[in-house]
């Protein structure tokens, strides 16, 4: 009977591991999407390389993302879709094209990219592909107006 306590102990440990929420995981409600991610870990990883990355940024007169606006400023129905497109921009363009100045930055960027990819996979498609094509084509006039305003 002495040996019968070990399987019960192992079963309890396994149960505890699977049913205890992981430290740092946060559930985000982004419009109609629910995402579970570790923002704390992503912030920590980025903070370790932020100064080196930002020191290379020579474009100081504008930002791609506004610090004074957020996803909260977007209509709730559009938040999930907007976040998915922003993540796709980072995954398809930023992370793929960033020229790494040192090998110590590569693992941090890779980890951050993997975190973004995990979040993007959790987000369902915003629109059906054909609906997205029709919507985008129908809004070409808005794009042309934006371009015209840049003169």
């Amino acid at each position: 009977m002495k040996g019968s306590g070990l399987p019960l102990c192992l079963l309890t440990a396994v149960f505890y591991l699977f049913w205890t929420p992981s430290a740092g995981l946060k559930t985000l409600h982004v419009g109609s999407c629910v995402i579970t991610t570790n923002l704390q870990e992503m912030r920590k990883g980025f903070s370790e390389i932020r100064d080196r990355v930002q020191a290379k940024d020579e474009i100081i007169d504008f930002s791609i993302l506004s610090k004074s606006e957020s996803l909260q400023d977007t209509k709730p129905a559009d938040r999930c879709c907007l976040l998915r497109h922003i993540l796709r921009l980072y995954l398809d363009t930023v992370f793929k094209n960033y020229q790494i100045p040192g090998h110590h930055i590569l693992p941090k960027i890779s980890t951050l990219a993997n975190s973004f990819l995990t979040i993007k996979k959790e987000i369902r498609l915003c629109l059906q592909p054909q609906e997205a094509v029709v919507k985008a084509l129908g809004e070409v006039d808005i794009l042309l107006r934006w371009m015209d305003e840049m003169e």
Side-chain angles (χ1 to χ4, degrees), residues 21-116:
S22 298
L25 284 182
K26 185 173 182 180
T27 300
L28 308 173
H29 298 274
V30 183
S32 60
C33 297
V34 178
I35 303 161
T36 303
T37 190
N38 192 333
L39 288 175
Q40 181 180 1
E41 191 63 31
M42 285 191 285
R43 278 193 185 97
K44 180 180 176 279
F46 180 67
S47 70
E48 293 173 11
I49 63 170
R50 177 183 40 242
D51 291 341
R52 283 176 260 157
V53 170
Q54 290 178 349
K56 302 267 186 209
D57 184 2
E58 297 174 353
I59 306 170
I60 58 172
D61 56 342
F62 77 93
S63 292
I64 295 172
L65 299 175
S66 172
K67 290 182 181 181
S68 64
E69 297 179 26
S70 73
L71 282 175
Q72 297 300 330
D73 298 326
T74 307
K75 291 187 295 185
D78 297 336
R79 289 177 189 160
C80 184
C81 191
L82 178 60
L83 179 59
R84 186 173 200 284
H85 288 297
I86 291 170
L87 291 173
R88 193 169 78 201
L89 167 73
Y90 275 89
L91 289 167
D92 295 348
T93 305
V94 177
F95 294 130
K96 284 184 180 180
N97 294 302
Y98 183 72
Q99 300 296 316
I100 286 72
H103 295 295
H104 53 281
I105 293 179
L106 180 60
K108 299 294 181 189
I109 290 182
S110 180
T111 299
L112 192 57
N114 286 333
S115 296
F116 278 31

